[in-house]
């Protein structure tokens, strides 16, 4: 069985939004959690104060608790975290959206009504991609529990969508005639505080840098630091190598309507990652 820890970045005024899920085998979850807590302890030592949560945007900018860590140190730590992901052989799944395109499609009623918030659009795509990926596993190895960061306004509606999936979503993963819908999802999704569920922080970390990568690659924002485009490309190359596979998220060819719905609304730099 798998655990998928999920968080998003860019649901404010940013031009793009992304969601990342860090997929951890249940048998290795405890060790992974311990290693992440050791990183937080190391950061606490660097800044001389207790850090219980690594907020990626604050860390990247060197704000708040991270003012005592210079840019070169932060860059080395970021590289180390991407290497950490590869070494532990965890997988990642992601979803993304160009917000202006999404809003235009909402006005023209292209977006299904149950996905009428950006968070739901991202969250449901992430689950569909995982369903398509996991259903090839044998002996229940694909069964997955999802843990999201707290979103009180989304919990009830999103849980309802998962419990009663819209018929069009069957097409995304080619649901069989005798197959239960979303049969790889264990129970309803869970929601927790990232301060307490520390692996959600890892999802926050990757979602922030994935969003920055897309926005800089597509000229939507100005790089904050010299060398950012090159560093982000290097980091995201390693990230993409741990993906569940682009064919499950943004297939290149032979897309059906459900797959194309998410493909057409994604930033080009992410759907070709």
């Amino acid at each position: 069985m798998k655990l998928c820890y999920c968080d998003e970045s860019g649901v404010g005024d940013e031009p793009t939004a992304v969601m990342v899920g860090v997929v951890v085998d249940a048998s290795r979850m405890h060790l992974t959690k311990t290693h992440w807590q050791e990183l937080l302890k190391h950061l606490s030592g660097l800044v001389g104060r207790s850090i219980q949560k690594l907020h990626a945007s604050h860390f990247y900018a060197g704000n708040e608790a991270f003012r005592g860590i210079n840019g070169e140190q932060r860059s080395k730590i970021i590289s180390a975290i991407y290497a950490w992901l590869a070494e532990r052989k965890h997988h990642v799944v992601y979803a993304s959206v160009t917000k202006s395109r999404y809003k235009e499609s909402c006005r023209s009623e292209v977006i299904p009504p149950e996905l009428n918030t950006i968070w739901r659009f991202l969250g449901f795509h992430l689950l569909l991609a995982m369903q398509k990926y996991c259903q090839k596993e044998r002996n229940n190895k694909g069964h997955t529990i999802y843990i999201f960061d707290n979103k009180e306004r989304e919990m009830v509606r999103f849980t309802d969508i998962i419990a009663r999936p819209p018929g069009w979503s069957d097409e995304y993963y080619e649901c069989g005639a005798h197959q239960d819908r979303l049969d790889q999802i264990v129970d309803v999704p869970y929601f927790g505080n990232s301060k307490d569920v520390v692996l959600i922080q890892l999802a926050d970390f990757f979602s922030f840098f994935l969003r920055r990568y897309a926005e800089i690659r597509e000229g939507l924002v100005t790089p904050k630091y010299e060398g950012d485009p090159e560093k982000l490309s290097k980091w995201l190359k390693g990230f993409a190598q741990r993906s569940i596979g682009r064919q499950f998220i943004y297939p290149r060819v032979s897309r059906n309507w459900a797959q194309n719905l998410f493909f057409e609304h994604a930033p080009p730099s992410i759907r070709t990652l």
Side-chain angles (χ1 to χ4, degrees):
M1 188 167 66
K2 307 178 193 301
L3 297 167
C4 185
Y5 295 89
C6 311
D7 203 3
E8 76 287 339
S9 178
V11 291
D13 297 328
E14 301 86 351
T16 63
V18 304
M19 182 178 288
V20 169
V22 179
V23 183
V24 180
D25 188 280
S27 64
R28 291 188 290 150
M29 185 274 293
H30 181 73
L31 185 59
T32 299
K33 180 179 176 181
T34 298
H35 288 160
W36 186 253
Q37 290 172 327
E38 287 173 353
L39 172 65
L40 295 181
K41 184 177 179 180
H42 174 65
L43 292 177
S44 297
L46 289 177
V47 300
R49 59 184 288 189
S50 176
I51 294 176
Q52 298 181 2
K53 178 177 179 179
L54 178 58
H55 198 292
S57 61
H58 293 162
F59 182 76
Y60 171 73
N63 289 334
E64 298 193 2
F66 305 105
R67 292 187 187 278
I69 306 177
N70 65 40
E72 184 178 354
Q73 286 178 304
R74 296 199 306 275
S75 181
K76 288 181 179 179
I77 291 169
I78 293 167
S79 295
I81 292 173
Y82 277 99
W84 180 91
L85 174 72
E87 289 168 3
R88 281 150 188 81
K89 298 183 178 180
H90 298 319
H91 286 92
V92 292
V93 58
Y94 52 90
S96 63
V97 65
T98 300
K99 290 156 80 171
S100 59
R101 179 72 186 276
Y102 170 85
K103 291 173 183 176
E104 179 184 337
S105 292
C106 281
R107 287 192 293 269
S108 58
E109 299 183 349
V110 171
I111 303 296
E114 53 272 357
L115 303 184
N116 63 351
T117 70
I118 284 175
W119 193 95
R120 271 180 238 152
F121 185 85
L122 294 172
F124 197 53
H125 182 205
L126 188 145
L127 263 66
L128 289 175
M130 277 294 289
Q131 167 70 30
K132 186 172 176 62
Y133 166 71
C134 287
Q135 64 188 13
K136 65 182 177 63
E137 301 270 9
R138 296 179 181 273
N139 301 321
N140 298 331
K141 290 184 179 180
H143 286 186
T144 307
I145 296 173
Y146 293 86
I147 306 96
F148 293 86
D149 196 11
N150 267 336
K151 284 291 178 292
E152 292 185 8
R153 295 178 60 183
E154 299 288 357
M155 273 191 263
V156 175
R157 183 67 182 118
F158 191 64
T159 299
D160 184 62
I161 295 170
I162 305 308
R164 288 170 284 278
W168 61 263
S169 65
D170 295 358
E171 186 180 40
Y172 189 98
Y173 57 95
E174 300 171 341
C175 185
H178 304 291
Q179 178 182 0
D180 292 334
R181 288 177 168 174
L182 297 179
D183 60 355
Q184 298 303 306
I185 299 178
V186 177
D187 208 351
V188 296
Y190 294 90
F191 293 79
N193 189 316
S194 59
K195 183 178 178 180
D196 301 319
V197 187
V198 294
L199 292 182
I200 292 177
Q201 297 176 33
L202 191 56
D204 167 77
F205 180 91
F206 292 130
S207 64
F208 173 81
F209 285 101
L210 181 58
R211 177 177 63 80
R212 289 291 299 179
Y213 167 81
E215 291 174 349
I216 290 175
R217 280 289 300 270
E218 295 173 28
L220 299 174
V221 301
T222 303
K224 186 176 180 65
Y225 303 108
E226 184 178 353
D228 261 7
E230 294 77 17
K231 287 181 180 178
L232 285 164
S233 293
K234 180 180 178 180
W235 292 331
L236 269 297
K237 181 179 179 181
F239 174 86
Q241 290 173 347
R242 298 311 310 160
S243 164
I244 62 170
R246 189 169 63 183
Q247 68 271 31
F248 302 109
I249 308 170
Y250 295 119
R252 292 182 181 181
V253 297
S254 303
R255 292 184 299 274
N256 56 44
W257 182 89
Q259 294 166 353
N260 203 53
L261 171 70
F262 298 105
F263 183 92
E264 289 294 331
H265 290 86
S269 57
I270 291 182
R271 68 192 187 197
T272 57
L273 189 64

